[in-house]
């Protein structure tokens, strides 16, 4: 799995916060959706049953720092799926920084698996 396709989006998400305009957030979400599709990063699993765990990450974002890659990709998949049923959900988790934390964790784990911090390449 080429994680650089996802981690190269870090700069896009680093500029987003509660005050980010809708167009910027939507653009970032579209870029991430495309990158995840490109690397088969959407994990097929019973995401509705994972609701409590996903919201646990929202309540305690520091949990992301201990999560493995499978869990991070499940978390991201969950939020994209949840957005289908709760309009604006994905934008909200982007604005809170949860997706940014998840992308940073992917970058961290990817670099550690290679024995160095991976270099971001242009997306």
């Amino acid at each position: 799995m080429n994680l650089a396709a996802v981690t190269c989006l870090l700069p896009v998400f680093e500029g987003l916060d509660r005050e980010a305009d809708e167009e910027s957030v939507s653009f970032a979400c579209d870029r991430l959706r495309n990158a995840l599709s490109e690397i088969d990063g959407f994990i097929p699993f019973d995401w509705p049953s994972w609701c409590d765990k996903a919201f646990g990450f929202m309540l305690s974002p520091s949990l992301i720092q201990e999560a493995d890659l499978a869990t991070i990709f499940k978390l991201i998949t969950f939020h994209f799926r949840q957005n289908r049923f709760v309009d604006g959900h994905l934008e909200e988790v982007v604005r809170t920084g949860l997706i940014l934390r998840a992308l940073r964790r992917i970058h961290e784990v990817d670099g550690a698996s290679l024995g160095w911090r991976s270099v971001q390449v242009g997306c």
Side-chain angles (χ1 to χ4, degrees):
M1 184 180 290
N2 179 11
L3 299 179
V6 174
T7 59
C8 72
L9 294 174
L10 272 167
V12 174
F13 283 86
E14 285 172 343
L16 302 176
D17 59 18
R18 288 244 177 243
E19 305 304 316
D21 63 273
E22 189 174 328
E23 186 177 332
S24 297
V25 173
S26 180
F27 174 76
C29 291
D30 288 345
R31 296 273 311 269
L32 181 56
R33 180 182 298 109
N34 293 339
L36 289 167
S37 295
E38 179 182 313
I39 65 167
D40 294 325
F42 287 115
I43 306 295
F45 73 109
D46 181 16
W47 68 270
S49 69
W50 213 68
C51 207
D52 288 342
K53 187 159 185 150
F55 284 107
F57 283 102
M58 291 175 72
L59 294 173
S60 300
S62 62
L63 294 173
I64 290 173
Q65 287 309 114
E66 304 300 319
D68 60 18
L69 280 179
T71 301
I72 295 298
F73 280 102
K74 280 184 175 182
L75 180 64
I76 294 171
T77 299
F78 171 85
H79 289 299
F80 271 92
R81 299 293 184 248
Q82 181 74 5
N83 195 61
R84 289 178 159 182
F85 300 97
V86 180
D87 190 40
H89 173 81
L90 184 60
E91 290 80 3
E92 179 61 22
V93 294
V94 166
R95 285 189 172 98
T96 64
L98 188 75
I99 298 297
L100 174 60
R101 285 184 189 92
L103 293 176
R104 285 180 178 155
R105 180 64 179 153
I106 292 168
H107 180 70
E108 180 182 293
V109 172
D110 183 36
S113 70
L114 297 172
W116 50 276
R117 305 269 316 179
S118 60
V119 177
Q120 291 183 18
V121 294
C123 290

